[in-house]
Structures are given as structure tokens and as C-alpha cells.
Coordinates of all heavy atoms in Angstrom, one line a residue:
Q1372 N 5.7 -9.0 -19.2 CA 5.4 -8.4 -17.9 C 3.9 -8.1 -17.8 O 3.3 -7.6 -18.7 CB 6.2 -7.1 -17.8 CG 6.0 -6.4 -16.4 CD 6.8 -5.1 -16.4 OE1 7.5 -4.7 -17.3 NE2 6.7 -4.4 -15.3
V1373 N 3.3 -8.5 -16.7 CA 1.9 -8.3 -16.4 C 1.7 -6.9 -15.8 O 2.3 -6.6 -14.8 CB 1.3 -9.4 -15.5 CG1 -0.1 -9.1 -15.2 CG2 1.5 -10.7 -16.2
Q1374 N 0.9 -6.1 -16.4 CA 0.5 -4.8 -15.8 C -1.0 -4.7 -15.7 O -1.7 -5.0 -16.7 CB 1.0 -3.7 -16.6 CG 2.5 -3.4 -16.5 CD 3.0 -2.1 -17.0 OE1 2.7 -1.8 -18.2 NE2 3.8 -1.4 -16.3
L1375 N -1.5 -4.4 -14.6 CA -2.9 -4.3 -14.3 C -3.2 -3.0 -13.6 O -2.6 -2.6 -12.7 CB -3.4 -5.5 -13.4 CG -3.1 -6.8 -14.0 CD1 -3.0 -7.9 -12.9 CD2 -4.1 -7.2 -15.0
V1376 N -4.2 -2.3 -14.1 CA -4.6 -1.0 -13.5 C -6.1 -1.0 -13.3 O -6.9 -1.1 -14.2 CB -4.3 0.2 -14.5 CG1 -4.7 1.5 -13.8 CG2 -2.8 0.2 -14.8
E1377 N -6.5 -1.0 -12.0 CA -7.9 -1.0 -11.6 C -8.4 0.4 -11.3 O -7.6 1.3 -10.9 CB -8.0 -1.8 -10.3 CG -7.5 -3.2 -10.4 CD -6.1 -3.4 -10.0 OE1 -5.3 -2.4 -9.8 OE2 -5.6 -4.6 -9.8
S1378 N -9.7 0.6 -11.6 CA -10.3 1.9 -11.4 C -11.8 1.7 -11.1 O -12.3 0.6 -11.3 CB -10.1 2.8 -12.6 OG -10.7 2.3 -13.7
G1379 N -12.4 2.8 -10.7 CA -13.9 2.8 -10.6 C -14.4 2.7 -9.2 O -15.6 2.8 -8.9
G1380 N -13.5 2.6 -8.2 CA -14.0 2.5 -6.8 C -14.5 3.8 -6.3 O -14.4 4.8 -7.0
G1381 N -14.9 3.8 -5.0 CA -15.4 5.0 -4.4 C -16.2 4.7 -3.2 O -16.3 3.6 -2.7
L1382 N -16.9 5.8 -2.7 CA -17.7 5.7 -1.5 C -19.2 5.6 -2.0 O -19.6 6.4 -2.8 CB -17.6 6.9 -0.7 CG -18.5 7.1 0.5 CD1 -18.3 5.9 1.5 CD2 -18.3 8.4 1.2
V1383 N -19.9 4.6 -1.5 CA -21.3 4.4 -1.9 C -22.1 4.0 -0.7 O -21.6 3.3 0.2 CB -21.4 3.3 -3.1 CG1 -20.9 2.0 -2.6 CG2 -22.7 3.2 -3.7
Q1384 N -23.4 4.3 -0.7 CA -24.3 3.9 0.4 C -24.7 2.5 0.2 O -24.7 1.9 -0.9 CB -25.5 4.8 0.4 CG -25.2 6.3 0.8 CD -26.5 7.1 0.9 OE1 -27.5 6.7 0.4 NE2 -26.4 8.2 1.6
P1385 N -25.0 1.8 1.3 CA -25.6 0.5 1.2 C -26.7 0.4 0.2 O -27.6 1.3 0.2 CB -26.0 0.2 2.7 CG -25.1 1.0 3.5 CD -24.9 2.3 2.7
G1386 N -26.7 -0.6 -0.6 CA -27.7 -0.8 -1.6 C -27.4 -0.1 -2.9 O -28.1 -0.3 -3.9
G1387 N -26.3 0.6 -3.0 CA -25.9 1.3 -4.2 C -25.1 0.4 -5.1 O -24.9 -0.8 -4.8
S1388 N -24.6 1.0 -6.2 CA -23.9 0.2 -7.2 C -22.6 0.9 -7.6 O -22.5 2.1 -7.5 CB -24.8 0.1 -8.5 OG -26.0 -0.6 -8.2
L1389 N -21.7 0.1 -8.1 CA -20.4 0.6 -8.7 C -20.0 -0.3 -9.8 O -20.3 -1.5 -9.7 CB -19.3 0.7 -7.6 CG -19.3 1.8 -6.6 CD1 -18.2 1.6 -5.6 CD2 -19.1 3.1 -7.3
R1390 N -19.3 0.2 -10.7 CA -18.7 -0.6 -11.8 C -17.2 -0.4 -11.8 O -16.7 0.7 -12.0 CB -19.3 -0.2 -13.1 CG -18.8 -1.2 -14.3 CD -19.2 -0.6 -15.6 NE -19.1 -1.6 -16.7 CZ -18.6 -1.4 -17.9 NH1 -18.4 -0.1 -18.2 NH2 -18.5 -2.3 -18.8
L1391 N -16.5 -1.5 -11.5 CA -15.0 -1.5 -11.5 C -14.5 -1.9 -12.9 O -15.1 -2.7 -13.6 CB -14.5 -2.4 -10.5 CG -15.0 -2.2 -9.0 CD1 -14.3 -3.2 -8.1 CD2 -14.8 -0.8 -8.6
S1392 N -13.3 -1.3 -13.2 CA -12.7 -1.6 -14.5 C -11.2 -2.0 -14.2 O -10.6 -1.5 -13.3 CB -12.7 -0.4 -15.4 OG -14.0 0.0 -15.8
C1393 N -10.7 -2.9 -15.1 CA -9.3 -3.3 -15.0 C -8.8 -3.3 -16.4 O -9.3 -4.0 -17.3 CB -9.2 -4.7 -14.4 SG -7.6 -5.4 -14.5
A1394 N -7.7 -2.5 -16.6 CA -7.0 -2.5 -17.9 C -5.7 -3.4 -17.7 O -4.9 -3.2 -16.9 CB -6.6 -1.1 -18.2
A1395 N -5.7 -4.4 -18.6 CA -4.5 -5.3 -18.6 C -3.6 -5.0 -19.8 O -4.1 -4.7 -20.9 CB -5.1 -6.7 -18.7
S1396 N -2.4 -5.1 -19.6 CA -1.4 -4.8 -20.7 C -0.4 -5.9 -20.8 O 0.8 -5.7 -20.5 CB -0.7 -3.5 -20.5 OG -0.1 -3.4 -19.3
F1397 N -0.9 -7.1 -21.1 CA 0.0 -8.2 -21.3 C -0.5 -9.0 -22.5 O -1.6 -8.9 -22.9 CB 0.2 -9.2 -20.1 CG -1.1 -9.7 -19.6 CD1 -1.6 -10.9 -20.1 CD2 -1.9 -9.1 -18.6 CE1 -2.8 -11.4 -19.6 CE2 -3.0 -9.6 -18.1 CZ -3.5 -10.8 -18.6
G1398 N 0.5 -9.7 -23.1 CA 0.1 -10.4 -24.4 C -0.8 -11.6 -24.1 O -0.9 -12.1 -23.0
A1399 N -1.4 -12.1 -25.2 CA -2.2 -13.3 -25.2 C -3.3 -13.2 -24.1 O -3.7 -14.2 -23.4 CB -1.4 -14.5 -25.0
F1400 N -3.9 -12.0 -23.9 CA -4.9 -11.8 -22.9 C -6.0 -12.7 -23.0 O -6.6 -13.2 -22.0 CB -5.4 -10.3 -23.0 CG -6.5 -10.0 -22.1 CD1 -6.3 -9.7 -20.7 CD2 -7.8 -9.9 -22.5 CE1 -7.4 -9.4 -19.9 CE2 -8.9 -9.6 -21.7 CZ -8.7 -9.3 -20.4
T1401 N -6.4 -13.0 -24.2 CA -7.6 -13.8 -24.4 C -7.5 -15.3 -23.9 O -8.6 -15.9 -23.7 CB -8.0 -13.9 -25.9 OG1 -6.8 -14.4 -26.7 CG2 -8.3 -12.5 -26.5
I1402 N -6.3 -15.8 -23.7 CA -6.2 -17.2 -23.3 C -6.3 -17.4 -21.8 O -6.3 -18.5 -21.3 CB -4.9 -17.8 -23.9 CG1 -3.7 -17.3 -23.2 CG2 -4.8 -17.7 -25.4 CD1 -2.4 -18.0 -23.5
Y1403 N -6.2 -16.2 -21.1 CA -6.1 -16.3 -19.6 C -7.5 -16.1 -19.0 O -8.3 -15.3 -19.4 CB -5.2 -15.3 -19.1 CG -3.8 -15.5 -19.4 CD1 -3.1 -14.8 -20.4 CD2 -3.0 -16.5 -18.7 CE1 -1.8 -15.1 -20.8 CE2 -1.7 -16.7 -19.1 CZ -1.1 -16.0 -20.1 OH 0.2 -16.3 -20.4
S1404 N -7.7 -16.9 -17.9 CA -8.9 -16.7 -17.1 C -8.5 -15.5 -16.2 O -7.3 -15.4 -15.7 CB -9.2 -17.9 -16.2 OG -9.6 -18.9 -16.9
M1405 N -9.4 -14.6 -16.0 CA -9.2 -13.4 -15.2 C -10.1 -13.4 -14.0 O -11.2 -14.0 -14.0 CB -9.4 -12.1 -16.0 CG -8.4 -12.0 -17.2 SD -6.7 -11.8 -16.6 CE -6.8 -10.2 -15.8
A1406 N -9.8 -12.6 -13.0 CA -10.6 -12.6 -11.8 C -10.5 -11.2 -11.1 O -9.5 -10.5 -11.3 CB -10.1 -13.7 -10.8
W1407 N -11.5 -11.0 -10.3 CA -11.4 -9.9 -9.3 C -11.2 -10.5 -7.9 O -11.9 -11.5 -7.6 CB -12.7 -9.1 -9.3 CG -12.8 -8.2 -10.5 CD1 -13.4 -8.4 -11.7 CD2 -12.3 -6.9 -10.6 NE1 -13.3 -7.3 -12.5 CE2 -12.6 -6.3 -11.8 CE3 -11.5 -6.0 -9.7 CZ2 -12.2 -5.1 -12.3 CZ3 -11.2 -4.8 -10.1 CH2 -11.5 -4.3 -11.4
Y1408 N -10.3 -9.9 -7.2 CA -10.1 -10.3 -5.8 C -10.3 -9.0 -4.9 O -10.3 -7.9 -5.4 CB -8.6 -10.7 -5.7 CG -8.1 -11.8 -6.6 CD1 -7.8 -11.5 -7.9 CD2 -8.0 -13.1 -6.1 CE1 -7.4 -12.5 -8.8 CE2 -7.6 -14.1 -7.0 CZ -7.3 -13.8 -8.3 OH -6.8 -14.8 -9.1
R1409 N -10.4 -9.3 -3.6 CA -10.6 -8.1 -2.7 C -9.9 -8.4 -1.4 O -9.7 -9.6 -1.0 CB -12.0 -7.7 -2.5 CG -12.9 -8.8 -1.7 CD -14.3 -8.3 -1.7 NE -15.1 -9.3 -0.9 CZ -16.5 -9.2 -0.9 NH1 -17.1 -8.3 -1.5 NH2 -17.1 -10.1 -0.2
Q1410 N -9.5 -7.3 -0.7 CA -8.8 -7.5 0.6 C -9.4 -6.4 1.5 O -9.2 -5.2 1.2 CB -7.3 -7.4 0.5 CG -6.6 -7.6 1.8 CD -5.1 -7.8 1.6 OE1 -4.5 -7.4 0.6 NE2 -4.5 -8.5 2.5
A1411 N -10.1 -6.9 2.5 CA -10.7 -6.0 3.5 C -9.6 -5.8 4.6 O -8.7 -6.6 4.8 CB -11.9 -6.6 4.1
P1412 N -9.7 -4.7 5.4 CA -8.7 -4.4 6.4 C -8.6 -5.6 7.4 O -9.6 -6.1 7.9 CB -9.3 -3.2 7.1 CG -10.1 -2.5 6.0 CD -10.7 -3.6 5.2
G1413 N -7.4 -6.0 7.7 CA -7.2 -7.1 8.6 C -7.5 -8.5 8.1 O -7.4 -9.4 8.9

């Protein structure tokens, strides 16, 4: 079973920075390509 928990988001001003983290809890993690995706409203 794949479990993924994302964190680190927030409100930031234009030009600012954030660092997102993702904790994965599935086996053989090292063999998989991983990615960040995003979905904006609409």
C-alpha cells in the first residue's frame, strides 16, 4: 500500500520561498521515480 504525506505549505509573498516535504511509506522506495504534482483551483 502506498502512503504519502505532504507538508510544508503555507502563505508566502511573491518572491518568497518554501520547502515542501513528502514522507513515503511503501517498500522498495529507492527503485521508483518520484514527482511533485500540483493542482490549482479549476
Side-chain angles (χ1 to χ4, degrees):
Q1372 183 180 0
V1373 175
Q1374 285 191 313
L1375 302 157
V1376 179
E1377 301 91 349
S1378 62
L1382 173 63
V1383 63
Q1384 292 186 341
S1388 298
L1389 282 174
R1390 187 189 191 217
L1391 306 184
S1392 299
C1393 170
S1396 57
F1397 57 88
F1400 173 81
T1401 56
I1402 71 171
Y1403 291 101
S1404 293
M1405 296 295 297
W1407 284 95
Y1408 304 80
R1409 68 185 181 187
Q1410 187 167 21

